[in-house]
PDB file of all heavy atoms in Angstrom:
ATOM      1  N   PHE A 305     -25.752  18.308  -4.203  1.00 83.00           N
ATOM      2  CA  PHE A 305     -26.960  17.749  -3.604  1.00 83.00           C
ATOM      3  C   PHE A 305     -27.755  18.790  -2.831  1.00 83.00           C
ATOM      4  O   PHE A 305     -27.208  19.775  -2.333  1.00 83.00           O
ATOM      5  CB  PHE A 305     -26.598  16.641  -2.596  1.00 83.00           C
ATOM      6  CG  PHE A 305     -26.183  15.357  -3.228  1.00 83.00           C
ATOM      7  CD1 PHE A 305     -24.850  15.092  -3.472  1.00 83.00           C
ATOM      8  CD2 PHE A 305     -27.127  14.401  -3.564  1.00 83.00           C
ATOM      9  CE1 PHE A 305     -24.461  13.896  -4.036  1.00 83.00           C
ATOM     10  CE2 PHE A 305     -26.742  13.204  -4.133  1.00 83.00           C
ATOM     11  CZ  PHE A 305     -25.410  12.955  -4.367  1.00 83.00           C
ATOM     12  N   ASN A 309     -31.370  15.427   1.124  1.00 81.00           N
ATOM     13  CA  ASN A 309     -31.458  14.162   0.397  1.00 81.00           C
ATOM     14  C   ASN A 309     -30.306  13.208   0.698  1.00 81.00           C
ATOM     15  O   ASN A 309     -30.330  12.058   0.289  1.00 81.00           O
ATOM     16  CB  ASN A 309     -31.489  14.427  -1.116  1.00 81.00           C
ATOM     17  CG  ASN A 309     -32.795  15.068  -1.554  1.00 81.00           C
ATOM     18  OD1 ASN A 309     -33.751  15.105  -0.795  1.00 81.00           O
ATOM     19  ND2 ASN A 309     -32.830  15.577  -2.768  1.00 81.00           N
ATOM     20  N   ILE A 310     -29.283  13.697   1.397  1.00 83.00           N
ATOM     21  CA  ILE A 310     -28.109  12.869   1.673  1.00 83.00           C
ATOM     22  C   ILE A 310     -28.424  11.901   2.814  1.00 83.00           C
ATOM     23  O   ILE A 310     -28.851  12.308   3.890  1.00 83.00           O
ATOM     24  CB  ILE A 310     -26.885  13.732   2.027  1.00 83.00           C
ATOM     25  CG1 ILE A 310     -26.512  14.609   0.820  1.00 83.00           C
ATOM     26  CG2 ILE A 310     -25.704  12.858   2.434  1.00 83.00           C
ATOM     27  CD1 ILE A 310     -25.447  15.637   1.130  1.00 83.00           C
ATOM     28  N   VAL A 311     -28.226  10.601   2.563  1.00 80.00           N
ATOM     29  CA  VAL A 311     -28.484   9.572   3.574  1.00 80.00           C
ATOM     30  C   VAL A 311     -27.207   9.220   4.330  1.00 80.00           C
ATOM     31  O   VAL A 311     -27.189   9.159   5.557  1.00 80.00           O
ATOM     32  CB  VAL A 311     -29.065   8.304   2.913  1.00 80.00           C
ATOM     33  CG1 VAL A 311     -29.229   7.185   3.926  1.00 80.00           C
ATOM     34  CG2 VAL A 311     -30.397   8.628   2.258  1.00 80.00           C
ATOM     35  N   ARG A 312     -26.123   9.014   3.568  1.00 80.00           N
ATOM     36  CA  ARG A 312     -24.880   8.574   4.205  1.00 80.00           C
ATOM     37  C   ARG A 312     -23.709   8.856   3.277  1.00 80.00           C
ATOM     38  O   ARG A 312     -23.825   8.712   2.061  1.00 80.00           O
ATOM     39  CB  ARG A 312     -24.954   7.074   4.508  1.00 80.00           C
ATOM     40  CG  ARG A 312     -23.765   6.526   5.276  1.00 80.00           C
ATOM     41  CD  ARG A 312     -23.916   5.040   5.503  1.00 80.00           C
ATOM     42  NE  ARG A 312     -22.747   4.496   6.173  1.00 80.00           N
ATOM     43  CZ  ARG A 312     -22.262   3.281   5.952  1.00 80.00           C
ATOM     44  NH1 ARG A 312     -22.851   2.487   5.086  1.00 80.00           N
ATOM     45  NH2 ARG A 312     -21.203   2.848   6.600  1.00 80.00           N
ATOM     46  N   VAL A 313     -22.592   9.290   3.855  1.00 82.00           N
ATOM     47  CA  VAL A 313     -21.367   9.523   3.091  1.00 82.00           C
ATOM     48  C   VAL A 313     -20.337   8.486   3.525  1.00 82.00           C
ATOM     49  O   VAL A 313     -20.068   8.326   4.723  1.00 82.00           O
ATOM     50  CB  VAL A 313     -20.818  10.942   3.335  1.00 82.00           C
ATOM     51  CG1 VAL A 313     -19.535  11.156   2.532  1.00 82.00           C
ATOM     52  CG2 VAL A 313     -21.854  11.985   2.948  1.00 82.00           C
ATOM     53  N   VAL A 314     -19.774   7.753   2.555  1.00 77.00           N
ATOM     54  CA  VAL A 314     -18.765   6.741   2.847  1.00 77.00           C
ATOM     55  C   VAL A 314     -17.456   7.119   2.155  1.00 77.00           C
ATOM     56  O   VAL A 314     -17.345   8.185   1.558  1.00 77.00           O
ATOM     57  CB  VAL A 314     -19.246   5.337   2.400  1.00 77.00           C
ATOM     58  CG1 VAL A 314     -20.449   4.908   3.215  1.00 77.00           C
ATOM     59  CG2 VAL A 314     -19.590   5.325   0.924  1.00 77.00           C
ATOM     60  N   ASP A 316     -15.901   6.196  -0.522  1.00 72.00           N
ATOM     61  CA  ASP A 316     -15.832   6.425  -1.964  1.00 72.00           C
ATOM     62  C   ASP A 316     -17.184   6.753  -2.581  1.00 72.00           C
ATOM     63  O   ASP A 316     -17.395   6.551  -3.764  1.00 72.00           O
ATOM     64  CB  ASP A 316     -15.248   5.198  -2.664  1.00 72.00           C
ATOM     65  CG  ASP A 316     -16.112   3.967  -2.464  1.00 72.00           C
ATOM     66  OD1 ASP A 316     -16.986   4.000  -1.565  1.00 72.00           O
ATOM     67  OD2 ASP A 316     -15.939   2.987  -3.209  1.00 72.00           O
ATOM     68  N   GLY A 317     -18.130   7.238  -1.797  1.00 80.00           N
ATOM     69  CA  GLY A 317     -19.408   7.550  -2.392  1.00 80.00           C
ATOM     70  C   GLY A 317     -20.422   8.132  -1.443  1.00 80.00           C
ATOM     71  O   GLY A 317     -20.144   8.367  -0.268  1.00 80.00           O
ATOM     72  N   ILE A 318     -21.619   8.355  -1.974  1.00 83.00           N
ATOM     73  CA  ILE A 318     -22.693   9.008  -1.236  1.00 83.00           C
ATOM     74  C   ILE A 318     -23.991   8.260  -1.494  1.00 83.00           C
ATOM     75  O   ILE A 318     -24.348   8.019  -2.655  1.00 83.00           O
ATOM     76  CB  ILE A 318     -22.855  10.476  -1.686  1.00 83.00           C
ATOM     77  CG1 ILE A 318     -21.529  11.230  -1.534  1.00 83.00           C
ATOM     78  CG2 ILE A 318     -23.964  11.159  -0.901  1.00 83.00           C
ATOM     79  CD1 ILE A 318     -21.510  12.559  -2.257  1.00 83.00           C
ATOM     80  N   PHE A 319     -24.705   7.899  -0.439  1.00 81.00           N
ATOM     81  CA  PHE A 319     -26.045   7.352  -0.550  1.00 81.00           C
ATOM     82  C   PHE A 319     -27.034   8.510  -0.424  1.00 81.00           C
ATOM     83  O   PHE A 319     -26.889   9.359   0.455  1.00 81.00           O
ATOM     84  CB  PHE A 319     -26.307   6.334   0.569  1.00 81.00           C
ATOM     85  CG  PHE A 319     -25.462   5.097   0.463  1.00 81.00           C
ATOM     86  CD1 PHE A 319     -24.230   4.997   1.096  1.00 81.00           C
ATOM     87  CD2 PHE A 319     -25.907   4.017  -0.279  1.00 81.00           C
ATOM     88  CE1 PHE A 319     -23.458   3.860   1.002  1.00 81.00           C
ATOM     89  CE2 PHE A 319     -25.149   2.870  -0.380  1.00 81.00           C
ATOM     90  CZ  PHE A 319     -23.929   2.786   0.256  1.00 81.00           C
ATOM     91  N   TYR A 320     -28.070   8.499  -1.271  1.00 80.00           N
ATOM     92  CA  TYR A 320     -28.987   9.645  -1.237  1.00 80.00           C
ATOM     93  C   TYR A 320     -30.374   9.244  -1.714  1.00 80.00           C
ATOM     94  O   TYR A 320     -30.580   8.196  -2.324  1.00 80.00           O
ATOM     95  CB  TYR A 320     -28.450  10.784  -2.109  1.00 80.00           C
ATOM     96  CG  TYR A 320     -28.389  10.467  -3.592  1.00 80.00           C
ATOM     97  CD1 TYR A 320     -29.418  10.828  -4.441  1.00 80.00           C
ATOM     98  CD2 TYR A 320     -27.294   9.792  -4.125  1.00 80.00           C
ATOM     99  CE1 TYR A 320     -29.362  10.542  -5.788  1.00 80.00           C
ATOM    100  CE2 TYR A 320     -27.232   9.499  -5.471  1.00 80.00           C
ATOM    101  CZ  TYR A 320     -28.275   9.876  -6.309  1.00 80.00           C
ATOM    102  OH  TYR A 320     -28.217   9.580  -7.643  1.00 80.00           O
ATOM    103  N   THR A 321     -31.350  10.100  -1.425  1.00 80.00           N
ATOM    104  CA  THR A 321     -32.721   9.939  -1.905  1.00 80.00           C
ATOM    105  C   THR A 321     -33.029  11.073  -2.871  1.00 80.00           C
ATOM    106  O   THR A 321     -32.268  12.028  -3.007  1.00 80.00           O
ATOM    107  CB  THR A 321     -33.720   9.994  -0.739  1.00 80.00           C
ATOM    108  OG1 THR A 321     -33.597  11.253  -0.084  1.00 80.00           O
ATOM    109  CG2 THR A 321     -33.460   8.884   0.253  1.00 80.00           C
ATOM    110  N   LYS A 334     -24.172   3.467  -9.485  1.00 65.00           N
ATOM    111  CA  LYS A 334     -24.128   2.013  -9.426  1.00 65.00           C
ATOM    112  C   LYS A 334     -25.145   1.532  -8.397  1.00 65.00           C
ATOM    113  O   LYS A 334     -25.613   2.330  -7.574  1.00 65.00           O
ATOM    114  CB  LYS A 334     -22.725   1.517  -9.063  1.00 65.00           C
ATOM    115  CG  LYS A 334     -22.219   2.015  -7.710  1.00 65.00           C
ATOM    116  CD  LYS A 334     -20.833   1.499  -7.401  1.00 65.00           C
ATOM    117  CE  LYS A 334     -20.839   0.051  -7.053  1.00 65.00           C
ATOM    118  NZ  LYS A 334     -19.533  -0.412  -6.527  1.00 65.00           N
ATOM    119  N   PRO A 335     -25.537   0.237  -8.400  1.00 58.00           N
ATOM    120  CA  PRO A 335     -26.525  -0.264  -7.425  1.00 58.00           C
ATOM    121  C   PRO A 335     -26.031  -0.092  -6.000  1.00 58.00           C
ATOM    122  O   PRO A 335     -24.851  -0.278  -5.710  1.00 58.00           O
ATOM    123  CB  PRO A 335     -26.656  -1.748  -7.787  1.00 58.00           C
ATOM    124  CG  PRO A 335     -26.205  -1.817  -9.210  1.00 58.00           C
ATOM    125  CD  PRO A 335     -25.138  -0.782  -9.369  1.00 58.00           C
ATOM    126  N   ALA A 336     -26.969   0.259  -5.107  1.00 54.00           N
ATOM    127  CA  ALA A 336     -26.612   0.504  -3.706  1.00 54.00           C
ATOM    128  C   ALA A 336     -26.654  -0.787  -2.915  1.00 54.00           C
ATOM    129  O   ALA A 336     -27.467  -0.979  -2.036  1.00 54.00           O
ATOM    130  CB  ALA A 336     -27.559   1.534  -3.106  1.00 54.00           C
ATOM    131  N   GLU A 337     -25.742  -1.705  -3.198  1.00 49.00           N
ATOM    132  CA  GLU A 337     -25.776  -3.033  -2.585  1.00 49.00           C
ATOM    133  C   GLU A 337     -25.453  -3.006  -1.105  1.00 49.00           C
ATOM    134  O   GLU A 337     -25.830  -3.886  -0.352  1.00 49.00           O
ATOM    135  CB  GLU A 337     -24.791  -3.950  -3.308  1.00 49.00           C
ATOM    136  CG  GLU A 337     -25.150  -4.146  -4.780  1.00 49.00           C
ATOM    137  CD  GLU A 337     -24.067  -4.879  -5.529  1.00 49.00           C
ATOM    138  OE1 GLU A 337     -23.009  -5.122  -4.922  1.00 49.00           O
ATOM    139  OE2 GLU A 337     -24.279  -5.193  -6.708  1.00 49.00           O
ATOM    140  N   LEU A 338     -24.749  -1.985  -0.654  1.00 44.00           N
ATOM    141  CA  LEU A 338     -24.327  -1.969   0.742  1.00 44.00           C
ATOM    142  C   LEU A 338     -25.410  -1.486   1.682  1.00 44.00           C
ATOM    143  O   LEU A 338     -25.313  -1.652   2.879  1.00 44.00           O
ATOM    144  CB  LEU A 338     -23.087  -1.065   0.909  1.00 44.00           C
ATOM    145  CG  LEU A 338     -21.842  -1.520   0.157  1.00 44.00           C
ATOM    146  CD1 LEU A 338     -20.702  -0.560   0.428  1.00 44.00           C
ATOM    147  CD2 LEU A 338     -21.449  -2.926   0.558  1.00 44.00           C
ATOM    148  N   MET A 339     -26.446  -0.839   1.135  1.00 45.00           N
ATOM    149  CA  MET A 339     -27.499  -0.327   2.001  1.00 45.00           C
ATOM    150  C   MET A 339     -28.714  -1.245   1.897  1.00 45.00           C
ATOM    151  O   MET A 339     -28.660  -2.403   2.222  1.00 45.00           O
ATOM    152  CB  MET A 339     -27.838   1.118   1.609  1.00 45.00           C
ATOM    153  CG  MET A 339     -26.708   2.095   1.910  1.00 45.00           C
ATOM    154  SD  MET A 339     -26.440   2.384   3.673  1.00 45.00           S
ATOM    155  CE  MET A 339     -27.756   3.526   4.008  1.00 45.00           C
ATOM    156  N   ASN A 340     -29.824  -0.746   1.344  1.00 45.00           N
ATOM    157  CA  ASN A 340     -31.010  -1.568   1.201  1.00 45.00           C
ATOM    158  C   ASN A 340     -31.615  -1.345  -0.165  1.00 45.00           C
ATOM    159  O   ASN A 340     -31.087  -0.601  -0.969  1.00 45.00           O
ATOM    160  CB  ASN A 340     -32.022  -1.229   2.312  1.00 45.00           C
ATOM    161  CG  ASN A 340     -32.340   0.252   2.331  1.00 45.00           C
ATOM    162  OD1 ASN A 340     -32.906   0.762   1.381  1.00 45.00           O
ATOM    163  ND2 ASN A 340     -31.977   0.939   3.397  1.00 45.00           N
ATOM    164  N   CYS A 343     -32.084   2.260  -1.894  1.00 49.00           N
ATOM    165  CA  CYS A 343     -31.020   3.252  -1.932  1.00 49.00           C
ATOM    166  C   CYS A 343     -30.374   3.406  -3.296  1.00 49.00           C
ATOM    167  O   CYS A 343     -30.182   2.447  -4.004  1.00 49.00           O
ATOM    168  CB  CYS A 343     -29.954   2.903  -0.913  1.00 49.00           C
ATOM    169  SG  CYS A 343     -29.232   4.350  -0.227  1.00 49.00           S
ATOM    170  N   PHE A 344     -30.056   4.681  -3.657  1.00 53.00           N
ATOM    171  CA  PHE A 344     -29.184   4.972  -4.797  1.00 53.00           C
ATOM    172  C   PHE A 344     -27.778   5.208  -4.243  1.00 53.00           C
ATOM    173  O   PHE A 344     -27.620   5.718  -3.149  1.00 53.00           O
ATOM    174  CB  PHE A 344     -29.597   6.257  -5.516  1.00 53.00           C
ATOM    175  CG  PHE A 344     -30.966   6.240  -6.109  1.00 53.00           C
ATOM    176  CD1 PHE A 344     -31.963   7.005  -5.559  1.00 53.00           C
ATOM    177  CD2 PHE A 344     -31.249   5.487  -7.229  1.00 53.00           C
ATOM    178  CE1 PHE A 344     -33.214   7.028  -6.118  1.00 53.00           C
ATOM    179  CE2 PHE A 344     -32.500   5.512  -7.792  1.00 53.00           C
ATOM    180  CZ  PHE A 344     -33.483   6.282  -7.237  1.00 53.00           C
ATOM    181  N   PHE A 345     -26.775   4.910  -5.055  1.00 49.00           N
ATOM    182  CA  PHE A 345     -25.397   5.152  -4.610  1.00 49.00           C
ATOM    183  C   PHE A 345     -24.596   5.741  -5.748  1.00 49.00           C
ATOM    184  O   PHE A 345     -24.640   5.237  -6.865  1.00 49.00           O
ATOM    185  CB  PHE A 345     -24.764   3.826  -4.162  1.00 49.00           C
ATOM    186  CG  PHE A 345     -23.341   3.945  -3.734  1.00 49.00           C
ATOM    187  CD1 PHE A 345     -23.002   4.678  -2.615  1.00 49.00           C
ATOM    188  CD2 PHE A 345     -22.329   3.333  -4.455  1.00 49.00           C
ATOM    189  CE1 PHE A 345     -21.681   4.778  -2.212  1.00 49.00           C
ATOM    190  CE2 PHE A 345     -21.012   3.431  -4.064  1.00 49.00           C
ATOM    191  CZ  PHE A 345     -20.689   4.154  -2.938  1.00 49.00           C
ATOM    192  N   ILE A 346     -23.909   6.869  -5.505  1.00 51.00           N
ATOM    193  CA  ILE A 346     -23.013   7.407  -6.508  1.00 51.00           C
ATOM    194  C   ILE A 346     -21.594   7.051  -6.107  1.00 51.00           C
ATOM    195  O   ILE A 346     -21.200   7.319  -5.009  1.00 51.00           O
ATOM    196  CB  ILE A 346     -23.050   8.915  -6.615  1.00 51.00           C
ATOM    197  CG1 ILE A 346     -24.296   9.572  -6.902  1.00 51.00           C
ATOM    198  CG2 ILE A 346     -22.616   9.277  -7.826  1.00 51.00           C
ATOM    199  CD1 ILE A 346     -24.057  10.944  -7.500  1.00 51.00           C
ATOM    200  N   SER A 348     -17.727   7.224  -7.014  1.00 43.00           N
ATOM    201  CA  SER A 348     -17.384   7.474  -5.680  1.00 43.00           C
ATOM    202  C   SER A 348     -18.730   7.918  -5.081  1.00 43.00           C
ATOM    203  O   SER A 348     -18.698   8.438  -4.047  1.00 43.00           O
ATOM    204  CB  SER A 348     -16.308   8.507  -5.675  1.00 43.00           C
ATOM    205  OG  SER A 348     -15.023   7.917  -5.839  1.00 43.00           O
ATOM    206  N   LEU A 349     -20.016   7.574  -6.056  1.00 35.00           N
ATOM    207  CA  LEU A 349     -21.368   8.069  -5.742  1.00 35.00           C
ATOM    208  C   LEU A 349     -22.530   7.267  -6.374  1.00 35.00           C
ATOM    209  O   LEU A 349     -22.440   6.876  -7.496  1.00 35.00           O
ATOM    210  CB  LEU A 349     -21.429   9.466  -6.301  1.00 35.00           C
ATOM    211  CG  LEU A 349     -22.450  10.411  -5.733  1.00 35.00           C
ATOM    212  CD1 LEU A 349     -22.129  10.804  -4.333  1.00 35.00           C
ATOM    213  CD2 LEU A 349     -22.526  11.620  -6.569  1.00 35.00           C
ATOM    214  N   ASN A 350     -23.719   7.152  -5.719  1.00 32.00           N
ATOM    215  CA  ASN A 350     -24.918   6.477  -6.300  1.00 32.00           C
ATOM    216  C   ASN A 350     -26.192   6.924  -5.624  1.00 32.00           C
ATOM    217  O   ASN A 350     -26.114   7.583  -4.647  1.00 32.00           O
ATOM    218  CB  ASN A 350     -24.765   4.981  -6.127  1.00 32.00           C
ATOM    219  CG  ASN A 350     -25.597   4.195  -7.084  1.00 32.00           C
ATOM    220  OD1 ASN A 350     -26.647   4.604  -7.523  1.00 32.00           O
ATOM    221  ND2 ASN A 350     -25.108   3.042  -7.390  1.00 32.00           N
ATOM    222  N   CYS A 351     -27.347   6.486  -6.055  1.00 31.00           N
ATOM    223  CA  CYS A 351     -28.569   7.053  -5.490  1.00 31.00           C
ATOM    224  C   CYS A 351     -29.486   6.039  -4.877  1.00 31.00           C
ATOM    225  O   CYS A 351     -29.525   4.922  -5.288  1.00 31.00           O
ATOM    226  CB  CYS A 351     -29.306   7.831  -6.545  1.00 31.00           C
ATOM    227  SG  CYS A 351     -30.770   8.636  -5.994  1.00 31.00           S
ATOM    228  N   TYR A 352     -30.243   6.497  -3.953  1.00 30.00           N
ATOM    229  CA  TYR A 352     -31.073   5.662  -3.113  1.00 30.00           C
ATOM    230  C   TYR A 352     -32.524   5.908  -3.510  1.00 30.00           C
ATOM    231  O   TYR A 352     -33.088   6.910  -3.181  1.00 30.00           O
ATOM    232  CB  TYR A 352     -30.748   6.093  -1.718  1.00 30.00           C
ATOM    233  CG  TYR A 352     -31.638   5.751  -0.615  1.00 30.00           C
ATOM    234  CD1 TYR A 352     -31.057   5.356   0.580  1.00 30.00           C
ATOM    235  CD2 TYR A 352     -33.002   5.843  -0.688  1.00 30.00           C
ATOM    236  CE1 TYR A 352     -31.839   5.082   1.653  1.00 30.00           C
ATOM    237  CE2 TYR A 352     -33.771   5.566   0.397  1.00 30.00           C
ATOM    238  CZ  TYR A 352     -33.193   5.190   1.557  1.00 30.00           C
ATOM    239  OH  TYR A 352     -33.959   4.932   2.634  1.00 30.00           O
ATOM    240  N   ASN A 395     -27.291   0.739   9.297  1.00 81.00           N
ATOM    241  CA  ASN A 395     -25.877   0.744   9.672  1.00 81.00           C
ATOM    242  C   ASN A 395     -25.600   1.624  10.888  1.00 81.00           C
ATOM    243  O   ASN A 395     -24.449   1.824  11.260  1.00 81.00           O
ATOM    244  CB  ASN A 395     -25.026   1.207   8.490  1.00 81.00           C
ATOM    245  CG  ASN A 395     -25.090   0.222   7.330  1.00 81.00           C
ATOM    246  OD1 ASN A 395     -24.984  -0.973   7.539  1.00 81.00           O
ATOM    247  ND2 ASN A 395     -25.290   0.716   6.135  1.00 81.00           N
TER     248      ASN A 395
END
Side-chain angles (χ1 to χ4, degrees):
F305 285 93
N309 290 347
I310 297 172
V311 175
R312 185 181 177 214
V313 180
V314 295
D316 62 345
I318 304 166
F319 294 91
Y320 65 95
T321 60
K334 60 180 287 190
E337 298 172 354
L338 297 181
M339 292 290 281
N340 55 65
C343 214
F344 298 110
F345 178 65
I346 302 203
S348 275
L349 202 69
N350 202 330
C351 183
Y352 163 139
N395 295 315

